[in-house]
Amino acid sequence: MSKPVVAVVGRPNVGKSTLFNALAGEMISIVKDTPGVTRDRIYADVSWLDKEFTLIDTGGIEPESGDVILSQMREQAQIAIDTADVILFLTDVRQGLVDADFKVADMLRRSQKPVVLAVNKVDNFEKFMPDVYEFYNLGIGEPKPISAAGKQGLGDLLDCVADHFPQGLEGEEEDERPRIAIVGKPNVGKSSIINRILGEQRVIVSDVAGTTRDAIDTDVKRGDREYVFIDTAGLRRKNKIKEELERYSIIRTVTAVERADVVLVVIDAAEGVTEQDAKIAGIAHERGKGIILVVNKWDALEKNDRTMREYENELRRILSFMPYAQTMYISALTGQRVEKLFDAIDTVIANQTLRIATGVLNEIVTEAVAMQQPPSDKGKRLKIYYITQVSVKPPTFVIFVNDKELMHFSYTRYLENKIREAFGFGGTSLRFFVRERKEK
């Protein structure tokens, strides 16, 4: 089941980043070997009590004239409305209520999405409460007083946010159909692939405010299997500055990936793999999704007998953090190998949900340990007691050892390779947790 998405919206200097950092705080895990992950900190995974959600910061606004601020606020609110399950609207008790707040509140109210109103910079609840009550005038419910800098009131705020999370997501639970997200830079041919799969020119909704994310799910039936394709191509804003567009598309990518089982990362054959591709693939890798690298427009390349091998090597070099990803070379234009995508998707889904018996796993690990001694430090050697698989999507394993400190990253990687040699697990990342057990 996908995690709910919470987006933060607010005027300049009301403390959006402070709140973002207070909530994501130390819990933001930056995966070291994934390129470009959360350098710009657009999103973070947050857990509150037993709930997990993805927090999105919809962007900074340059303080200029009132009009510019207002149009950027609208833009932000639109991103939040398009992508979020819950919108966190942040205001500032010291600046008080301003015109822009009313206009954004108006948009948010019309969106029919749940909105939680937070009033920031309330360091002294007694003193500022009368000013907080003023925010009732926005007409979007009860204002929650918080201090992001002092980390006060955040618990109540999160309780309130979590109350709006979809309960057991009606319809989602029974929906066992695999969800496939098609992601990639603009113009790599994401919609052409969907159209080719559907065998018809579907109308792509563009430049229409309020194109919700639900409108871009496409049901596809093939043989007796059904799939849901999540397409991120729907919205392309004209006249957007490149950075803003990039930020917007990353937010859209995160929300699509969050809801998917398998992610098709589409790459333009002629352009080769770019840093932006690596960033997008990194999001899917971080989230432990099934991944297929789809090189589109393959028909447009001049080829000889080495082309594919050289291309594959280059892909593997740049995306070295995900050696397990499957690759497909297709052309949405001519339809070359598009049908084969389904076989690849089915394989990856099977691998994502593969469960391995504990006995078999331990045999493999015992053999691996015999072939390559575990690391030791100051005369103390790592002992691996046993390994067991605890969950799927992605397959997740717990390894019990005598001393966690001795379990080097490289040795975990070695064991992963041995497990992959035995079971393949193509197209899916594997997660390993190391637990310590004192010797009896």
Side-chain angles (χ1 to χ4, degrees), residues 175-202:
D175 193 347
E176 287 294 301
R177 298 175 301 175
R179 295 176 165 275
I180 322 298
I182 299 192
V183 302
K185 298 194 308 277
N187 301 324
V188 289
K190 299 187 291 280
S191 357
S192 320
I193 293 175
I194 286 246
N195 290 339
R196 174 59 73 171
I197 286 171
L198 290 176
E200 60 187 84
Q201 285 298 318
R202 205 175 41 124

Side-chain angles (χ1 to χ4, degrees), residues 156-395:
D156 293 349
L157 178 66
L158 288 175
D159 283 342
C160 196
V161 167
D163 284 344
H164 292 294
F165 290 162
Q167 290 309 318
L169 291 164
E170 297 80 55
E172 284 250 325
E173 280 299 283
E174 302 80 73
D175 193 347
E176 287 294 301
R177 298 175 301 175
R179 295 176 165 275
I180 322 298
I182 299 192
V183 302
K185 298 194 308 277
N187 301 324
V188 289
K190 299 187 291 280
S191 357
S192 320
I193 293 175
I194 286 246
N195 290 339
R196 174 59 73 171
I197 286 171
L198 290 176
E200 60 187 84
Q201 285 298 318
R202 205 175 41 124
V203 183
I204 298 277
V205 188
S206 65
D207 296 341
V208 179
T211 306
T212 61
R213 62 180 210 185
D214 313 311
I216 45 181
D217 282 8
T218 310
D219 299 344
V220 175
K221 202 169 163 61
R222 185 172 172 277
D224 52 357
R225 289 204 73 167
E226 286 186 33
Y227 305 83
V228 180
F229 278 84
I230 303 165
D231 171 16
T232 51
L235 294 176
R236 207 169 291 139
R237 300 282 167 92
K238 311 265 184 298
N239 69 30
K240 271 283 145 282
I241 324 159
K242 184 172 174 295
E243 285 74 59
E244 252 184 77
L245 206 117
E246 201 165 285
R247 180 183 195 95
Y248 190 49
S249 69
I250 284 202
I251 289 177
R252 300 277 318 276
T253 302
V254 171
T255 49
V257 166
E258 199 56 80
R259 298 169 55 228
D261 301 309
V262 176
V263 178
L264 306 186
V265 180
V266 185
I267 292 163
D268 184 325
E271 275 188 40
V273 192
T274 64
E275 190 189 341
Q276 180 76 348
D277 293 324
K279 216 181 220 182
I280 289 169
I283 293 170
H285 167 74
E286 250 201 328
R287 294 281 185 286
K289 303 296 182 175
I291 301 176
I292 301 172
L293 304 170
V294 179
V295 181
N296 187 25
K297 310 186 189 176
W298 191 242
D299 57 310
L301 278 199
E302 290 287 319
K303 290 183 273 296
N304 59 31
D305 53 353
R306 294 191 310 278
T307 313
M308 196 179 273
R309 196 167 62 243
E310 284 166 3
Y311 209 97
E312 183 80 22
N313 291 341
E314 182 62 2
L315 264 184
R316 296 293 171 204
R317 188 182 67 74
I318 295 179
L319 303 176
S320 59
F321 58 94
M322 39 192 270
Y324 56 84
Q326 303 286 342
T327 34
M328 296 282 297
Y329 295 86
I330 70 161
S331 161
L333 187 67
T334 64
Q336 178 189 17
R337 295 197 200 88
V338 171
E339 269 300 296
K340 293 234 164 60
L341 276 176
F342 286 99
D343 299 338
I345 289 168
D346 290 346
T347 306
V348 171
I349 288 167
N351 287 335
Q352 270 251 300
T353 50
L354 189 59
R355 282 186 185 274
I356 302 201
T358 303
V360 184
L361 267 176
N362 285 289
E363 275 170 36
I364 285 162
V365 169
T366 307
E367 206 170 293
V369 168
M371 280 163 63
Q372 189 175 324
Q373 280 257 309
S376 63
D377 184 36
K378 300 193 185 68
K380 185 176 185 188
R381 187 169 292 287
L382 172 71
K383 276 195 193 137
I384 293 179
Y385 296 126
Y386 77 105
I387 178 172
T388 181
Q389 182 175 355
V390 289
S391 65
V392 293
K393 281 191 180 180

